[in-house]
Amino acid sequence: MLWLTLSALISMTMAPSPALAQQPQPFVDIAGSVHAESIIALAEWGITKGCNDAGTLFCPEDPVTRAQMASFLARSFVTPDSEFDYFGDDSGNTHEDSINSIASVGITTGCGSGSSYCPESSVTRGQMAAFLARTLDLPPGPDRFGDDGTSTFQDEINSLAEAGITQGCDDTSFCPDEPVTRGQMASFLVRALEWLDCT
């Protein structure tokens, strides 16, 4: 599914993991976060600007909204601009261009009946799996977790696990209905980009 110049982006900007850890932290609220290295990487690559106007905070424990998710994906995977307005509930939203961009390449079809995007709703871990599996066009994988049997997103969750992009929320569970935090999203995106660069 990818329409990207992403491998070139990664090769130009991806530093080895130890080098990232030694760099000054771009946000004052990520010290001690298990996702700090991934957050630093996203800042270095221009994928995140933080969660406040001053660009000093990342808010790693805040849930990711669907609008924020659109911008994370559009910047990470260099999706094309779109002049078509796909949804009626995102007018004036800071992330509207990104929402239209990911809709134009089939990463999202909206929420509910599809006429809305629900930009301020939180993204669940299951929804996140679907966003990334569609973006990367991941192949199927075996059933990996015991708590996603009734989830609409079970296939995408298994694909994400097979690709090594997730290890779940513990050894046997994925927690598909829990919201994704901004810190977790940073780590998911970095693993997804690394997976793409290795394929």
Side-chain angles (χ1 to χ4, degrees):
M1 178 181 287
L2 288 182
W3 43 92
L4 312 170
T5 56
L6 187 55
S7 291
L9 171 67
I10 293 173
S11 65
M12 287 188 295
T13 59
M14 182 175 281
S17 181
L20 286 173
Q22 294 168 9
Q23 292 175 5
Q25 294 183 349
F27 306 109
V28 299
D29 61 346
I30 64 172
S33 171
V34 296
H35 306 288
E37 187 173 301
S38 295
I39 294 166
I40 292 168
L42 292 193
E44 288 294 312
W45 301 337
I47 293 170
T48 184
K49 302 172 185 176
C51 65
N52 65 334
D53 291 340
T56 56
L57 301 175
F58 184 76
C59 307
E61 300 305 317
D62 285 1
V64 177
T65 67
R66 286 173 58 86
Q68 292 167 350
M69 182 79 188
S71 287
F72 276 132
L73 291 171
R75 293 177 193 144
S76 296
F77 301 103
V78 198
T79 56
D81 294 337
S82 174
E83 295 183 1
F84 188 79
D85 189 10
Y86 286 84
F87 307 109
D89 63 343
D90 62 351
S91 296
N93 190 289
T94 303
H95 305 279
E96 183 177 11
D97 288 345
S98 294
I99 293 168
N100 289 328
S101 176
I102 67 168
S104 73
V105 291
I107 294 174
T108 184
T109 55
C111 62
S113 64
S115 61
S116 299
Y117 183 73
C118 306
E120 300 309 320
S121 296
S122 297
V123 177
T124 67
R125 288 171 58 87
Q127 291 168 342
M128 176 278 308
F131 277 123
L132 287 179
R134 289 181 204 137
T135 301
L136 298 171
D137 197 19
L138 293 177
D143 191 12
R144 299 287 288 273
F145 304 108
D147 65 341
D148 63 352
T150 60
S151 173
T152 305
F153 308 109
Q154 183 181 28
D155 290 345
E156 290 87 351
I157 292 167
N158 291 333
S159 293
L160 217 63
E162 181 70 6
I165 297 170
T166 184
Q167 296 177 340
C169 59
D170 61 38
D171 290 341
T172 60
S173 304
F174 183 75
C175 306
D177 297 322
E178 290 187 5
V180 180
T181 68
R182 288 172 56 86
Q184 291 168 349
M185 192 68 248
S187 290
F188 279 126
L189 285 172
V190 168
R191 291 187 206 121
L193 290 166
E194 290 174 340
W195 178 89
L196 183 63
D197 196 43
C198 291
T199 57

